Amino acid sequence: MIRSLIIGAVSFASVACAHAQTDEAAPPFIIPADIAETAQTLKSTALESNLGFRIIEDLTTQIGPRLAGTPQEARAREWGMAKLKELGFENVREEPFELDLWTRGHSVYEEVTLTAPYPQPLYAISLGGGGATPEEGSEAEVVYFASYDALKADTVSDLAGKIVFVGDRMTASRTGEGYGWANRKRRDAWVMAEDRGATALFIRSVGTSNNRFAHTGMMSFPEGRHPKIPALSVSNPDADQIERIAKSGEVMKIKLKTFAGWRGKSMSGNVIGEIVGREKPDEIVVIGGHLDSWDTGTGALDDGAGVGITMAAAKLIANLPENPRRTIRVVLFGSEEVGLVGARAYAAARIEDETLANHVMGSESDFGAGEVWRFGSNVGPDALPAMDAIGRELADLGIIRGDNESGGGPDMIPLAMAGVPMGRLDQNGEDYFEYHHTPNDTLDKIDEDELQQNIAAWSVFTYLAAELDVDFRAGEAEAE
Amino acid sequence: MIRSLIIGAVSFASVACAHAQTDEAAPPFIIPADIAETAQTLKSTALESNLGFRIIEDLTTQIGPRLAGTPQEARAREWGMAKLKELGFENVREEPFELDLWTRGHSVYEEVTLTAPYPQPLYAISLGGGGATPEEGSEAEVVYFASYDALKADTVSDLAGKIVFVGDRMTASRTGEGYGWANRKRRDAWVMAEDRGATALFIRSVGTSNNRFAHTGMMSFPEGRHPKIPALSVSNPDADQIERIAKSGEVMKIKLKTFAGWRGKSMSGNVIGEIVGREKPDEIVVIGGHLDSWDTGTGALDDGAGVGITMAAAKLIANLPENPRRTIRVVLFGSEEVGLVGARAYAAARIEDETLANHVMGSESDFGAGEVWRFGSNVGPDALPAMDAIGRELADLGIIRGDNESGGGPDMIPLAMAGVPMGRLDQNGEDYFEYHHTPNDTLDKIDEDELQQNIAAWSVFTYLAAELDVDFRAGEAEAE
């Protein structure tokens, strides 16, 4: 997922600034007893159900990696359609869209060797969007920058014909907030390197892991420009090696061979299924995850988990004696990793079919499969007491009430920017970046107990958002 | 290191069966006060010194992986000679020997793809000694065996033209004792597979890690026979995938391309340096580690650690105002991983130069860089009180006294079998097989505090073994 984009969207879409818990003036919202009871029943059922895990197991076993625009992603859409139908969802459909295809073009490996001063292989991997070397590979001297800021501040180094290396180590946190900072070098260091004549960019892996895998992910492309040079991420232990040699002052050279590149247009799509509302079928609570994943792992945490969590939560709600008042729509977004392409296509289609205003609440799960620890929101001030009430239903799962300035997840950004109210179930991401965007993003990294707590929270939140007679947009704050 | 071989050698070389602590009859051995004081000083110095870490850092940075018989191992010998001289060791020399060379022949990667029923890449790596596929690769159906025992018991499956897969998951323990059991499939499952017409062997990675690396290591070769078929180890997450598909009953196929094979004769060698004894220079306390390592990691834990620990311990002793009574010989063994080739060459050379009987004590460090928690021995019964006394000097490092049936480490096996007394500083190996024989065996996995405790223990043990006027062979038990 593209965590760094969330922040911007949040402040843009923020419709109420007061911290939920400090809004002393508003009278408490009381959830009707029968609805509260149903929510509690759902929670208990979810805590006993292994449906979510089974969905993630199916997706990672039967499809595995599913890079946007590839046949593997197309197979994942078929899988998604079949799974939604199998679980009894209604209006199951695919919304196709076009995208620019980038692939590694080789295998999940890149050939990277430190050739001087101390020859040995390095474990590195192309960043999404990077270019290829000549077929026989290329070799160049390394110019070392300890950080993104050091590269940015540099005006004197001769980078022509050189490999630019950028350090900066990410630190772990529950909220994952170090990611955006560490990720700056992944996004646009290539522009500085290429503009100054460098032959390749290498960055220290953005993830927190000391495993000998490098973290991949898409670069940013100003004005739609794509890099001509290869851009690679180097595992943390290998980046340590580069750092040690840089400190020694010895001339360092790297040889690499990559086949990465842009392959023209390809097709992708969003997969949609619904639990149709019994009273207000046109009002939509939209939840989901993204179906595409990076090609090196099997996309269990990013974002098989989001697919499994939201599909299972919706299915558990569908198992109730009657559907909730509003429609719950589960969207399995395509092509998130490569720039929220599916999310933009979804929002554009809703503008096209004039149903954007029907979206009463949105939330995506895209931060792994860990325990939910905080419930945030981004709703109109009149709806805050209702969100606080939903928060109270979640408290015995160990979930605290957050503020009202939350984003709803990366694929919700276009909707949030269009004013759709958002809920947010924040998951513990302390170890998320140990696995994220690496070969290690596999099923065995998911703790089934934590997943059940997570799905229980999603069931309660989604059910109440769909059932309660609340206008979540109500009382929008004036723009400043 | 080849842990599984230790057990056999221990029972063969065992010269005293009573548990050290239960030998109530023997009078306590009192270490002379000045010697005990020197031992304590050494310990304090070692706990403050970063020499051991610096040695391992140098070796892994400047050489990195050093597969037996390759130019990288030759560079490691040059490094070892230079480092021993730099630290002031005497009689620094190399003892070359010949060996059969096996290499992966490609890079540190193998190309392995699950092609049916669910196409996706698998992370796998050739086992040492395995063969190559045809250049274009090969593809075959998988016959799944849950365990080594299941393969062994099977008499009915048609394995001709198939890939044999063998499960069995290793569990972690402080002593690493699960390794030998889990390793049976690595050693000789290939013989059963090949004899029954299989085209390849795949085994579940022997290590305990759920990282997406497979554990490599040498196979066993009955009667010097080498496999014609490729033999690969599959990472635990990928082995899980194979297991899930096997349970589903779907036909499973794997495509692979490997370039592994035997490359004829090559040269290797042991590197030796000494602290010459002030009174009995001909009596030798031999310690060391092995210089070669697997090609996928950088051999920090296996066995850069042993090299750094023993070299640093000896150097700290050399820094004392006077050398100990006996000679301390540090041996950096070559070609351990491929079958204790250096250890055998060392023992053969000592038979040749008739100095085997001069070896009064031996011990190797080859189990990572973790804290030492137990001090074992394998000495004559009359020497037990002295070993108990050495144990008491180690107690405040948190080290308990073990029994008198210890091996001295893999490269000590030929010496132990020839009757050389052994000491053993057992390291905590709880996480050793998380990294062992994988790309993840890198410097960052070493905890400097644990390493210092480890070297402190080695300093004290080595110094006392060289200084105390004790015949460690004395009172050998009669053979049964």
Side-chain angles (χ1 to χ4, degrees), chain A residues 57 60-65 72 75 108-110 118-121 123 210-213 237 240-241 244-245 296-298 439-440 442-445, chain B residues 57 60-65 72 75 108-110 118-121 123 210-213 237 240-241 244-245 296-298 439-440 442-445:
Chain A
E57 183 179 35
T60 54
T61 303
Q62 296 179 20
I63 314 297
Q72 293 279 106
R75 283 181 53 227
V108 286
Y109 305 118
E110 318 276 350
Y118 310 121
Q120 55 175 290
Y123 289 74
N210 274 337
N211 285 316
R212 214 140 170 233
F213 302 117
D240 292 347
Q241 169 81 351
R244 283 191 295 269
I245 297 172
T296 54
T298 65
N440 240 353
T442 50
L443 186 66
D444 53 291
K445 309 307 182 305
Chain B
E57 183 179 35
T60 54
T61 303
Q62 296 179 21
I63 314 297
Q72 293 279 106
R75 283 181 54 225
V108 287
Y109 304 118
E110 317 278 351
Y118 310 121
Q120 54 175 292
Y123 289 74
N210 274 338
N211 285 315
R212 212 138 170 234
F213 302 118
D240 293 346
Q241 169 81 351
R244 283 191 294 269
I245 297 171
T296 54
T298 65
N440 240 353
T442 49
L443 185 66
D444 54 290
K445 309 308 182 304

Side-chain angles (χ1 to χ4, degrees), chain B residues 83-150:
Chain B
K83 182 61 73 182
L84 286 165
K85 284 175 189 164
E86 175 195 326
L87 294 176
F89 281 79
E90 297 165 83
N91 304 325
V92 175
R93 61 195 184 274
E94 192 184 322
E95 294 187 343
F97 54 84
E98 200 180 58
L99 89 168
D100 293 320
L101 177 65
W102 177 91
T103 72
R104 215 167 293 287
H106 181 230
S107 73
V108 287
Y109 304 118
E110 317 278 351
E111 291 177 43
V112 183
T113 312
L114 185 68
T115 51
Y118 310 121
Q120 54 175 292
L122 301 176
Y123 289 74
I125 188 92
S126 278
L127 294 170
T133 58
E135 198 149 334
E136 69 280 10
S138 68
E139 184 176 6
E141 198 178 315
V142 175
V143 182
Y144 176 85
F145 294 96
S147 65
Y148 176 81
D149 291 329

Side-chain angles (χ1 to χ4, degrees), chain B residues 324-396:
Chain B
R325 193 185 311 263
R326 294 163 170 144
T327 291
I328 296 168
R329 176 178 292 173
V330 176
V331 182
L332 314 180
F333 293 92
S335 304
E336 188 268 356
E337 298 292 0
V338 298
L340 306 183
V341 188
R344 293 182 221 277
Y346 179 83
R350 299 299 77 79
I351 291 167
E352 181 72 21
D353 67 15
E354 296 179 356
T355 60
L356 194 56
N358 299 7
H359 288 63
V360 301
M361 175 62 77
S363 189
E364 186 188 27
S365 168
D366 182 17
F367 200 49
E371 239 180 5
V372 173
W373 64 279
R374 184 171 63 183
F375 171 58
S377 59
N378 206 322
V379 298
D382 291 358
L384 264 179
M387 292 305 272
D388 291 345
I390 295 177
R392 286 192 293 273
E393 296 298 319
L394 297 169
D396 67 350

